[in-house]
Every structure is written in structure tokens, then in C-alpha cells.
Amino acid sequence: DNEAGDTVAVRKDGKPIPVDVAVHSLGDGNYLSIFRDIMKRKKIETELNQLVRVYETLRRINHTILRVNDRESLFEGICDVAVHFGGFGLASVGLLDQDGEVVRLVSWKGAGDMEPPYDTVEVKHAPAENGLIAHAVGSGRVVTSDDLQADGKSAYWSQEAAKRNLH
């Protein structure tokens, strides 16, 4: 009789750890159990699942871009896809004013009955000057956070995320 499977074991220090367990009958009423740490494998599986989710989100956003005829529908569609298919707790689209100082919210979607995250953000002034939105404006690139509450780039948004139970 041989059995195998994944489970969670507890280390000597009390920390849970994912393991692969193989149990082999030795034929004399005794069994040999082999535990193998699979924490790295689980981490890779999680990262792979996140990449698949992001790819699917991008695919659906591209589809949205192709089928909509106006900016408002485009922005709403992008936010909707990000929340419903991407698994993001919050997605927003803001437009930067001509002076490059204020981002105005034009569309957003949040899980449940969440209030909009902001109306405007002054990217060159506190509290947003070192945050995610200011970083995106300054770099000209998309900026995301895997964990808003722990993200060091933006203490202000971390506090807002905690109020809204976003991670």
C-alpha cells in the first residue's frame, strides 16, 4: 500500500509548512513516511496563477478596446474587467491635467459597494507625492501593487486600503 499527497505540516518552531507526503508500506506492518518541503513549488504555482490571471485580464481588456466606441465605455470596461476577471479589489482610471499636477478620476470599480478611492490626486503634493499614482505619472508607466497595505511606496494609499479591506 502506497499513498501520497500534499498537506500542511508544522515545523518545530510552530510555523506551518506545505509538504508532499509519501507513505510506503514495508510489508511487515510498518510504514515509511517521507515528507518533502514544497514551499518553493507552492510559491511558483501561486506566481504562475497570478501571471495567468494578469494575462487573461489583459486579453479581456484588449477585447474591450476593440469593441467599444467611446472613452467612457472604454474606461468603465477596463475597470470592470480588472475587478471581475482579474480579481483586483479595486481598479481606477484617472486622467492627468495639462499641467501634469492633478489626476482626476474618470472611472473606477471596486468590490461590493465600495466608495470611489479619490476624486482628484495632486501628484506633486503630500500625501500623494510619493505614492503609486505619482510614480505612474512620473515614470510614464503602469504601476501596480501586490499588497497595498504593505506597499512602502504609499503610506497614504496603504491607510486607505486598510479602511476598505483591500490587500
Side-chain angles (χ1 to χ4, degrees):
D1 295 2
N2 295 325
E3 297 286 331
D6 293 354
T7 189
V8 177
V10 179
R11 296 187 332 191
K12 288 180 183 180
D13 64 3
K15 184 177 178 181
I17 183 170
V19 294
D20 177 52
V21 180
V23 180
H24 302 281
S25 172
L26 299 176
D28 60 0
N30 292 308
Y31 292 86
L32 172 66
S33 298
I34 301 170
F35 292 80
R36 186 171 49 138
D37 180 348
I38 57 172
M39 189 175 300
K40 287 181 185 177
R41 184 183 91 196
K42 291 292 187 181
K43 182 179 179 199
I44 290 169
E45 287 174 358
T46 298
E47 290 171 357
L48 179 61
N49 288 335
Q50 288 173 333
L51 288 173
V52 167
R53 184 188 77 193
V54 168
Y55 174 77
E56 178 63 17
T57 301
L58 290 174
R59 187 186 73 74
R60 288 178 181 263
I61 286 172
N62 284 335
H63 179 73
T64 300
I65 290 169
L66 293 173
R67 70 175 170 79
V68 299
N69 297 321
D70 63 276
R71 285 174 62 158
E72 184 177 320
S73 297
L74 173 64
F75 298 152
E76 288 176 7
I78 289 170
C79 292
D80 191 56
V81 166
V83 171
H84 287 107
F85 297 102
F88 294 93
L90 172 69
S92 65
V93 175
L95 296 179
L96 185 63
D97 71 357
Q98 291 188 356
D99 296 330
E101 294 189 6
V102 178
V103 173
R104 181 178 53 84
L105 180 71
V106 294
S107 185
W108 76 279
K109 184 77 169 181
D113 295 330
M114 190 179 303
E115 294 293 319
Y118 60 90
D119 291 322
T120 60
V121 175
E122 295 184 29
V123 295
K124 295 186 178 181
H125 303 286
E129 65 187 334
N130 296 317
L132 296 170
I133 295 173
H135 183 69
V137 169
S139 68
R141 302 179 61 98
V142 172
V143 176
T144 63
S145 176
D146 291 330
D147 187 344
L148 281 175
Q149 291 183 16
D151 196 323
K153 290 180 258 181
S154 184
Y156 172 77
W157 291 114
S158 297
Q159 292 169 2
E160 289 299 307
K163 289 180 194 173
R164 301 163 190 273
N165 199 27
L166 295 172
H167 299 279

